[in-house]
Amino acid sequence: MSRFKAVIFDLDGVITDTAHYHYLAWKQLAESQGVHFDHAFNENLKGIDRMGSLDLILASSSRTYTPEEKLALADAKNLHYQELIATMSSKDLLPGAVEALDTVRRAGLRIGLASVSKNAFTVLERLGITDKFDYVVDAAIIARGKPDPEIFLKAARELGVAPADCLGVEDAVAGVASIKSAGMFALGIGHPFVLTEADVVITSLKEFNLAAY
Ligand code: G6P
Ligand code: MG
């Protein structure tokens, strides 16, 4: 049914839409520092890890920040984000997500999660889908965020599958780049004009068709 042996999913924007919660938390933080923040800017942060996102926001600030100040700001944003995601439940699953996971499982492939979010385990618990994954990368042990291939290669290694036999699923430009530099097939979720490096782009997991890739 499939030429792949594993499917490795991103979380935010693929399985659930946490981008809005990240948006609210980053906006409050940016504005507390006098930095304008809108939806267009938030798009640039998709798939980028917490400190990388903070650096992009503070690049528009008129002042400079010590490493300690940056850590305090990142912690404040994260506390706010954690308050927002505390109310998440299975109703926050994106359409087609559970069906896609179940299709992959029925086809006998391994299933991994490669999110740079340090809140990924909490979000999976809230969504009630933790047990659908054979391996979830702990973002805390990843040295280089997307677009570096490290996180997808780590998932493949732990699943015991060669990168060439993996299908990676991503909604962010940086994430697709990470999949491609890992030597995997990239399924993009979004728009082909944006995800130009992806091998195939679909609008959402509602269109997921494992046999077609
Ligand atoms: C995902 C999101 C990013 C977020 C990153 C880190 O990649 O797309 O917007 O910045 O995770 O999330 P965290 O929960 O660790 O702050
Ligand atoms: Mg994403």
Side-chain angles (χ1 to χ4, degrees):
M1 179 178 177
S2 173
R3 66 191 173 98
F4 299 105
K5 294 186 180 142
V7 180
I8 302 170
F9 292 87
D10 171 46
L11 177 63
D12 297 314
V14 171
I15 287 172
T16 184
D17 189 12
T18 45
H20 183 62
Y21 299 126
H22 281 296
Y23 167 78
L24 292 173
W26 280 132
K27 185 174 172 70
Q28 189 178 88
L29 181 116
E31 289 175 353
S32 76
Q33 300 305 305
V35 173
H36 174 73
F37 191 84
D38 57 18
H39 282 286
F41 196 89
N42 194 51
E43 283 301 302
N44 302 327
L45 305 183
K46 285 189 177 172
I48 306 298
D49 65 22
R50 197 180 307 158
M51 293 311 287
S53 300
L54 180 66
D55 283 338
L56 287 172
I57 291 168
L58 296 183
S60 309
S61 169
S62 50
R63 54 163 291 202
T64 54
Y65 293 83
T66 65
E68 293 73 26
E69 285 174 320
K70 283 192 192 177
L71 269 182
L73 291 173
D75 283 349
K77 181 270 175 178
N78 191 49
L79 273 180
H80 185 191
Y81 179 70
Q82 286 177 335
E83 275 168 33
L84 295 169
I85 62 172
T87 60
M88 284 180 81
S89 69
S90 57
K91 70 177 180 346
D92 293 289
L93 283 158
L94 282 169
V98 167
E99 292 78 0
L101 290 165
D102 290 345
T103 299
V104 178
R105 175 65 68 217
R106 273 196 305 275
L109 280 68
R110 308 272 284 155
I111 306 179
L113 190 93
S115 169
V116 297
S117 171
K118 296 192 173 77
N119 293 294
F121 291 104
T122 307
V123 172
L124 290 181
E125 282 295 320
R126 302 249 28 118
L127 296 171
I129 56 167
T130 306
D131 59 359
K132 293 192 182 290
F133 294 87
D134 296 304
Y135 180 70
V136 176
V137 179
D138 179 357
I141 62 161
I142 296 300
R144 295 171 302 279
K146 299 166 185 178
D148 191 280
E150 181 182 358
I151 191 164
F152 279 94
L153 291 174
K154 171 73 177 165
R157 193 162 51 245
E158 294 293 334
L159 292 169
V161 176
D165 295 325
C166 293
L167 168 70
V169 189
E170 259 291 349
D171 68 312
V173 173
V176 170
S178 172
I179 294 171
K180 290 315 297 174
S181 33
M184 302 176 182
F185 185 94
L187 175 63
I189 307 289
H191 204 292
F193 290 158
V194 178
L195 303 175
T196 51
E197 264 197 83
D199 296 292
V200 173
V201 179
I202 57 177
T203 309
S204 84
L205 282 179
K206 269 208 292 197
E207 293 163 30
F208 184 76
N209 180 2
L210 185 59
Y213 313 126

